[in-house]
Amino acid sequence: MEQQESRILFKEDFSIKVNDDRKPLFYLFDYGVRSDAMNMEFQHFHDFYELFFLVDDHAAHIIEGEYFSLQRYDLVLLKPSSLHMTMYPKGERPKARLIVAFRISPSLSPMERQVRRLLTLFDEDPPIFRFSGSVLQKIMQLFNAIYILGTELQPGYELMIHG
């Protein structure tokens, strides 16, 4: 029997930022609720990686001009310079999402080879992943652990988030 899904602990308009986005090591966790009124007009790109985690029931993402319909808990991986935009359904209630923007230079890590290998996931076509069961539970636990670190702000929390 599959475990009951846990819920994400992040609160609306909550963010955690570790370092400036121009640093070689940077993280931003941004939880928010968006509606069609916030749909982007144009695709955009940035020079860091982005994970888009749809917490709500459905939305859409355009990546390099290709349309993708998303379901609850889909994880979209966007590599630097990838044109993209999120679209929320017109006339529906706002949708919750968690964005994790980050930059990590593999050469900063003593595990450079492993970091490079992990980042190859961003090259998947399409770069959208759907998890269930224990894998989804683990993802939710990790996001919630990061949320707790970001709310308690204990000494060394940035290093723990990096870990």
Side-chain angles (χ1 to χ4, degrees):
M1 188 165 126
E2 194 171 303
Q3 290 181 348
Q4 186 179 17
E5 291 179 4
S6 53
R7 65 180 183 83
I8 197 119
L9 297 178
F10 280 76
K11 305 293 182 221
E12 188 172 347
D13 297 325
F14 180 83
S15 66
I16 304 166
K17 188 174 183 181
V18 177
N19 284 337
D20 184 271
D21 67 1
R22 293 175 300 243
K23 302 279 185 193
L25 184 62
F26 150 76
Y27 297 97
L28 172 67
F29 295 82
D30 177 40
Y31 181 83
V33 177
R34 302 290 185 263
S35 68
D36 65 315
M38 300 178 102
N39 279 343
M40 299 172 187
E41 250 184 89
F42 303 103
Q43 293 185 68
H44 68 281
F45 66 92
H46 24 71
D47 63 351
F48 45 79
Y49 291 90
E50 180 180 310
L51 292 133
F52 175 94
F53 186 67
L54 183 62
V55 179
D56 230 309
D57 54 358
H58 64 279
H61 221 89
I62 295 177
I63 305 169
E64 298 291 340
E66 191 171 349
Y67 179 91
F68 296 96
S69 183
L70 301 178
Q71 297 176 15
R72 182 184 311 270
Y73 304 138
D74 277 358
L75 184 64
V76 180
L77 303 182
L78 300 161
K79 61 185 174 183
S81 302
S82 179
L83 278 172
H84 65 281
M85 71 184 220
T86 309
M87 294 174 49
Y88 300 97
K90 290 198 181 295
E92 291 190 19
R93 66 175 175 71
K95 309 295 179 183
R97 91 310 181 246
L98 174 63
I99 290 179
V100 182
F102 70 95
R103 175 178 292 111
I104 181 168
S105 173
S107 60
L108 289 177
S109 174
M111 298 174 56
E112 180 178 353
R113 187 173 59 83
Q114 291 84 352
V115 171
R116 286 188 192 282
R117 191 166 148 231
L118 183 60
L119 292 176
T120 64
L121 289 172
F122 287 80
D123 294 324
E124 290 294 315
D125 187 24
I128 300 171
F129 297 85
R130 187 167 292 149
F131 301 102
S132 61
S134 62
V135 174
L136 177 60
Q137 290 296 314
K138 186 63 178 168
I139 290 168
M140 298 287 269
Q141 288 169 1
L142 289 169
F143 282 150
N144 288 338
I146 289 167
Y147 171 76
I148 291 167
L149 288 167
T151 57
E152 293 178 351
L153 303 177
Q154 297 293 322
Y157 80 95
E158 290 114 334
L159 185 58
M160 289 186 275
I161 286 173
H162 174 71

